[in-house]
Amino acid sequence: MFVTVKINADLPDGTLVCHDADNTWRQATSSDVAPLGVLDASEVDGDSVRWGKVTLAGATWARASASIPAQGGWLACDDNGRVTVAASEDCGLVAPITRGATAPALDDLILVYVR
């Protein structure tokens, strides 16, 4: 499930985003308490407004933070809207590394499930 919303910066695809302080534009989130979702793609319209397709629930690709364990885990985020693994469930899951794949590096896209 996704929505198209205004994005307040040129963020890379796979960034976890949330409402900003005014609840009008979206920005990279620094908390996993209530992220809006994962930015899948964005584009600028004819009025110079950036619009982003944001996944609110379901499987999508998100940017990895420092290190992601091979077994995956509970979805959390760092200060720049990247995915990390948390000790407790909150807003989704990070998928385990697929057979034959190597551990993701910083900013690699990894499979997550947002709920």
Side-chain angles (χ1 to χ4, degrees):
M1 173 175 35
F2 73 91
V3 294
T4 302
V5 295
K6 288 182 182 178
I7 302 294
N8 71 355
D10 187 8
L11 301 172
D13 296 350
T15 301
L16 285 110
V17 294
C18 65
H19 292 283
D20 69 2
D22 297 328
N23 263 350
T24 54
W25 294 72
R26 278 50 177 191
Q27 62 187 7
T29 186
S30 61
S31 169
D32 60 350
V33 174
L36 175 64
V38 178
L39 178 65
D40 290 329
S42 67
E43 63 184 20
V44 177
D45 68 11
D47 295 324
S48 299
V49 176
R50 179 167 296 281
W51 294 93
K53 177 184 170 188
V54 175
T55 296
L56 299 175
T60 190
W61 298 96
R63 296 211 170 268
S65 186
S67 63
I68 303 295
Q71 71 272 15
W74 298 112
L75 178 67
C77 67
D78 70 8
D79 290 338
N80 296 312
R82 291 189 207 98
V83 171
T84 62
V85 173
S88 63
E89 62 182 285
D90 198 9
C91 58
L93 299 167
V94 176
I97 295 174
T98 303
R99 179 181 177 192
T102 58
L106 180 67
D107 282 334
D108 282 352
L109 291 174
I110 59 172
L111 183 62
V112 299
Y113 184 83
V114 182
R115 50 182 184 153

